[in-house]
Amino acid sequence: MADPATISPATLLKDELDIVIPTIRNLDFLEMWRPFFQPYHLIIVQDGDPSKAIKVPEGFDYELYNRNDINRILGPKASCISFKDSACRCFGYMISKKKYIYTIDDDCFVAKDPSGKDINALEQHIKNLLSPSTPFFFNTLYDPYRAGADFVRGYPFSLREGVPTAVSHGLWLNIPDYDAPTQLVKPLERNTRYVDAVMTIPKGTLFPMCGMNLAFDRELIGPAMYFGLMGDGQPIGRYDDMWAGWCTKVICDHLGWGVKTGLPYIWHSKASNPFVNLRKEYKGIYWQEELIPFFQSVTLPKDCTSVQKCYTEIAKQVKAKLGKVDDYFNKLADAMVTWIEAWDELNPSGASKSSDLPNGASK
């Protein structure tokens, strides 16, 4: 495999990656990202009132979908796509035909590294995705495939080839991604620490995935990136990316793929209202104590060799084991199945890989 440090990402993936942005407002924030995003195709998923016009700066190649479009394209299956919640972004994952996805929130701006240089977050995500992961044995120098690093003494040679990377999870400077109780007790806290590291999350370890600076291999893991039922008409919010992250990690562990976290950083500009967040989160904070043990104990049968099969099996177990926690999880399990059906209808050739297939090239 080519050394990711020497890859020219913009040339390599310009036609293989979509940038997905959920929004309710004009996308002025794209001006700051223009040097990095303009070569790429954007998929904008408009949340809220579909009659409201969203302005996109000139010069960007984009398609925009609102709720009317989602209903028209998916028909009755549109019920699986959340409304009045940024979870609607996963419709963009489904409608894309590209190999890779990068998703970012519209209150995220270009951060600077410690030297004062603008960080090209997309370039770093691409480097993360194009280099292998090491989920089976932790390397104490973190990512061994980065320039200036390698495997340390004692690292098994049989594992040094690594496995395909399915997810690159980036971080944030300024406003940290805190839950409402932490926001309330630390209202002025800002993240100023720039940690120059990328690491593979070990097999068997869950993590809280944040969707505001996230990239993934859509052909590999796309069908698992369902952001659940959140927002309007639902008893919970702000757990959309968490749910997708837990499902994705369990499936990656089962199929032998990797998830990386660390670089790149973006600048998260706006703290959301902690009282509003608490209303959205409080059931999730309570339910989480049941959800985490559930995902830690999920086992997938050997015949689950594709992401769709794995995801459908998780939905079955959600209904059987979490349905008794609250009826919401019965609805969520049904929506998970609907999501997979809708995914397969829009991607009939099967845009995800089985674990016994190589990590293929773009269509």
Side-chain angles (χ1 to χ4, degrees), residues 183-243:
Q183 279 183 294
L184 286 166
V185 297
K186 293 183 168 183
L188 301 179
E189 184 155 293
R190 299 295 180 264
N191 182 34
T192 58
R193 293 192 311 142
Y194 179 95
V195 181
D196 187 14
V198 178
M199 62 188 78
T200 299
I201 300 171
K203 181 179 181 180
T205 300
L206 296 172
F207 76 111
M209 189 175 84
C210 172
M212 73 171 116
N213 176 26
L214 177 73
F216 59 93
D217 185 327
R218 180 182 175 278
E219 287 190 354
L220 210 57
I221 198 64
M225 279 289 178
Y226 175 47
F227 276 43
L229 287 177
M230 302 283 150
D232 197 47
Q234 306 302 335
I236 184 174
R238 285 173 57 83
Y239 273 84
D240 50 339
D241 41 10
M242 302 291 159
W243 184 264

Side-chain angles (χ1 to χ4, degrees), residues 179-181 183-184 231 234-239 273-285 287:
D179 54 35
Q183 279 183 294
L184 286 166
Q234 306 302 335
I236 184 174
R238 285 173 57 83
Y239 273 84
N273 185 312
F275 296 99
V276 173
N277 289 347
L278 187 59
R279 274 205 309 273
K280 293 178 179 178
E281 289 176 0
Y282 80 95
K283 285 195 173 181
I285 291 168
W287 288 340

Side-chain angles (χ1 to χ4, degrees), residues 166-188:
V167 179
S168 172
H169 176 257
L171 299 174
W172 348 268
L173 293 171
N174 196 36
I175 306 292
D177 187 29
Y178 284 163
D179 54 35
T182 310
Q183 279 183 294
L184 286 166
V185 297
K186 293 183 168 183
L188 301 179

Side-chain angles (χ1 to χ4, degrees), residues 109-129:
F109 297 95
V110 177
K112 293 186 183 295
D113 68 17
S115 74
K117 182 184 173 187
D118 284 351
I119 297 167
N120 184 347
L122 185 51
E123 177 177 343
Q124 181 63 52
H125 275 298
I126 291 169
K127 288 180 177 181
N128 292 348
L129 289 170

Side-chain angles (χ1 to χ4, degrees), residues 71-138:
N71 291 339
R72 173 177 51 81
I73 292 166
L74 295 184
K77 292 185 173 65
S79 61
C80 72
I81 305 295
S82 298
F83 184 55
K84 294 187 178 175
D85 193 280
S86 65
C88 67
R89 78 178 78 218
C90 61
F91 176 76
Y93 311 159
M94 180 188 283
I95 205 76
S96 169
K97 300 303 174 194
K98 302 288 178 63
K99 178 170 169 54
Y100 299 101
I101 295 287
Y102 174 53
T103 186
I104 184 171
D105 284 4
D106 60 14
D107 62 349
C108 295
F109 297 95
V110 177
K112 293 186 183 295
D113 68 17
S115 74
K117 182 184 173 187
D118 284 351
I119 297 167
N120 184 347
L122 185 51
E123 177 177 343
Q124 181 63 52
H125 275 298
I126 291 169
K127 288 180 177 181
N128 292 348
L129 289 170
L130 292 182
S131 60
S133 291
T134 53
F136 304 121
F137 202 91
F138 189 79

Side-chain angles (χ1 to χ4, degrees), residues 259-289:
V259 175
K260 291 181 179 178
T261 189
L263 301 181
Y265 284 91
I266 49 85
W267 181 269
H268 186 209
S269 66
K270 191 180 67 181
S272 47
N273 185 312
F275 296 99
V276 173
N277 289 347
L278 187 59
R279 274 205 309 273
K280 293 178 179 178
E281 289 176 0
Y282 80 95
K283 285 195 173 181
I285 291 168
Y286 176 68
W287 288 340
Q288 196 170 299
E289 303 308 313

